[in-house]
């Protein structure tokens, strides 16, 4: 994606966010109107935002799988993969640990979610943390297709790397399959580009529904949450 296209997309997403905030906040005053509530907020905004989120989730698994297979086969030498992979893993774990520590400290200090509750009937019950041995065993999928269907990204990543290593070791057959994956990578990136083209509309629907439901009172807690998350992500990007 060229730089002018990126700038245009960023501008359109910001416009979509602003319009969603403005229109959603104004519609909050007319939530008692059945047409606004059922057909605009609960219909148009809900459906548009849900389709956008579903499209993002749809691309995660194929994008990760294909790109990791292509990246692994591009190294050619398995020994290089081991050295580079170990250094990358240690560096990533270290910087991630720093970013998580800063995020936890910022959450305790600023408490961005205090005083703000989304209107929802869904509950959340955290699962008990598994033992370290089970975490390590769980990295390796018994059924890679099930892992992809369930969106188990750690298992997808492990299978992708192992599959890429097998392609490197398979000689001419591996080269032919690698060429297919390179073509698939191009196609999936086109899908990502298509989704990014409609991202401003999806963001608009999500923001508009939130503010139509919660009103302008949601500005402060959402803004605090946004800037905290953005700050942590920016710091993580800078140190990596």
């Amino acid at each position: 994606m060229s730089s002018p296209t990126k700038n245009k997309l960023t501008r359109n997403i910001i416009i979509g966010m602003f319009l969603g905030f403005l229109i959603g906040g104004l519609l909050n005053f007319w939530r008692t109107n059945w047409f606004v509530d059922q057909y605009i907020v609960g219909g148009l905004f809900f459906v548009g935002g849900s389709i956008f989120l579903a499209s993002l989730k749809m691309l995660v698994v194929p994008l990760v799988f294909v790109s990791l297979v292509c990246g692994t086969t591009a190294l050619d030498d398995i020994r290089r993969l081991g050295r580079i992979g170990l250094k990358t893993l240690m560096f990533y774990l270290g910087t991630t640990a720093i970013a998580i520590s800063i995020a936890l400290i910022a959450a305790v200090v600023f408490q961005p979610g205090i005083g703000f509750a989304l209107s929802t009937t869904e509950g959340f019950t955290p699962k008990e943390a598994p033992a370290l041995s089970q975490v390590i065993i769980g990295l390796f999928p018994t059924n890679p297709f099930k892992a992809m269907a369930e969106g188990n990204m750690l298992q997808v990543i492990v299978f992708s790397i192992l599959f890429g290593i097998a392609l490197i070791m398979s000689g001419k057959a591996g080269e032919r399959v690698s060429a297919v994956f390179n073509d698939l990578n191009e196609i999936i990136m086109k899908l990502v580009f298509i989704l990014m083209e409609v991202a401003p509309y999806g963001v608009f629907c999500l923001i508009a529904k939130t503010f139509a439901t919660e009103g302008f009172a949601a500005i402060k807690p959402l803004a605090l949450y946004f800037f905290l998350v953005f700050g942590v992500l920016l710091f993580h990007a800078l140190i990596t």
Side-chain angles (χ1 to χ4, degrees), residues 125-163:
T125 303
K127 297 181 180 180
E128 184 179 353
L132 178 60
S133 59
Q134 290 300 318
V135 172
I136 297 174
I137 294 172
L139 292 175
F140 297 86
T142 56
N143 186 339
F145 297 103
K146 181 181 179 182
M148 293 179 185
E150 295 178 350
N152 191 327
M153 296 313 301
L154 287 176
Q155 292 187 353
V156 172
I157 290 172
V158 170
F159 177 72
S160 303
I161 295 174
L162 293 175
F163 191 83

Side-chain angles (χ1 to χ4, degrees), residues 3 93 162 230:
S3 182
L93 289 177
L162 293 175
F230 178 77

Side-chain angles (χ1 to χ4, degrees), residues 1 23 51-52 101 108 118 126 142 149 156 160 170 181 185 209 229 235:
M1 189 181 295
I23 295 175
I51 291 175
F52 178 64
S101 300
V108 172
L118 290 173
T142 56
V156 172
S160 303
S170 299
F181 269 88
N185 191 49
K209 183 181 183 302
V229 173
F235 175 79

